Amino acid sequence: MPLGTASLAPLKAARGSHVYNDPEATATAKTVQAAASVLYGWRIDNRANESDVWLNIWNLAIANVTVGTTAPHFTWRAEAGKIASAGCVEGIALGTGCVQAVTTAGGTGNTTNPANAVKIRLHID
Amino acid sequence: MAGVSQRRDGQGEDSQFGWSQTFDDDCDVATPTDNIDNGPTTLSLIQVIAAADGTGYVVGFDHENPVEATTPPDYQFQVANSGTVTIMVHSGGKTDVGFSFACATTPGTAWTGDPTTPTDIHLITIPEVR
């Protein structure tokens, strides 16, 4: 390499650099990304509630999600009055898309909104 | 190492101090599922390594004896063929009753079905001193 030149690699975005925030996640399904996604981290702020809540994620287009009927592909519980957060090194592949909703029970059949606002943050590509 | 219990497939004595490790080299849907801790515990790390045709779902429960296709999972995620998923829990992840897990091919409350080939799971939990 000639003196006085430098090779700079292009900057590369970190994994999970796209941050999705929903300050009031409910049992109504919302699209996070309408394309193949990889989930690297999640934070569920349930400090406003006296009951546990469950973050549900579907690897589907929102048109194919019926909360209470369609089995979620990802579920994570946040305890009453607490924040639950975790990260995934490799990422969790969602090959179709990413749709989220927060309910008051785990599993498939619940459609109840949390009593108070639940804030969620997803780190996703 | 003092205070650390090494268990296989959920078997072994409870750890009274520190953290516990559980290895399962053939996670399946058998009922009752692998029961790690009877009593309050906190999830710390979950690592899953799936075989070439091992696509499936890890389902976790704050429950000592979850029933296949009946007990709603409290924690659930998918692992693809030959995939590895390592989840580090930063906060939360506490269970009140105990922690059990299974691997299934169908997610949600109707979780059922064995992954075709063995799926390895390594968990680290922090049992509450009791």
Side-chain angles (χ1 to χ4, degrees):
Chain A
M1 182 181 297
L3 189 65
T5 63
S7 177
L8 295 175
L11 290 173
K12 189 175 180 180
R15 288 180 168 182
S17 58
H18 175 70
V19 179
Y20 168 89
N21 280 297
D22 185 348
E24 192 165 359
T26 66
T28 299
K30 298 176 185 173
T31 296
V32 178
Q33 292 195 146
S37 307
V38 182
L39 179 65
Y40 287 99
W42 52 96
R43 182 180 190 269
I44 311 162
D45 184 344
N46 191 33
R47 288 178 292 181
N49 286 295
E50 296 179 354
S51 300
D52 295 354
V53 296
W54 283 256
L55 168 65
N56 305 285
I57 288 177
W58 291 266
N59 176 18
L60 291 168
I62 196 165
N64 297 321
V65 174
T66 302
V67 178
T69 301
T70 311
H73 300 98
F74 173 95
T75 301
W76 204 265
R77 184 177 73 169
E79 302 162 59
K82 304 283 188 183
I83 294 173
S85 68
C88 180
V89 177
E90 304 85 358
I92 295 172
L94 304 166
T96 302
C98 182
V99 172
Q100 61 87 5
V102 172
T103 56
T104 57
T108 304
N110 188 269
T111 60
T112 305
N113 284 318
N116 297 301
V118 175
K119 302 172 186 175
I120 67 167
R121 181 190 303 159
L122 305 176
H123 293 265
I124 194 166
D125 283 345
Chain B
M1 185 183 298
V4 176
S5 67
Q6 300 268 351
R7 300 181 233 183
R8 195 156 192 88
D9 207 11
Q11 302 299 312
E13 62 184 49
D14 281 349
S15 170
Q16 295 296 316
F17 305 99
W19 45 278
S20 299
Q21 287 194 83
T22 299
F23 298 93
D24 185 347
D25 57 10
D26 187 7
C27 180
D28 55 29
V29 76
T31 304
T33 54
D34 309 88
N35 190 355
I36 298 175
D37 289 309
N38 293 313
T41 193
T42 300
L43 302 175
S44 180
L45 182 141
I46 306 171
Q47 184 171 59
V48 185
I49 302 172
D53 54 355
T55 294
Y57 295 85
V58 176
V59 286
F61 307 88
D62 183 357
H63 200 289
E64 290 184 3
N65 294 295
V67 177
E68 182 180 344
T70 301
T71 307
D74 292 305
Y75 305 94
Q76 172 186 266
F77 56 91
Q78 186 178 24
V79 185
N81 285 340
S82 303
T84 298
V85 170
T86 307
I87 294 175
M88 292 173 290
V89 179
H90 307 309
S91 63
K94 183 179 178 184
T95 66
D96 299 320
V97 177
F99 184 69
S100 301
F101 67 92
C103 290
T105 55
T106 301
T109 302
W111 57 279
T112 190
D114 267 328
T116 305
T117 50
T119 297
D120 293 345
I121 290 192
H122 174 203
L123 294 109
I124 295 178
T125 54
I126 306 172
E128 191 169 292
V129 176
R130 53 191 185 273

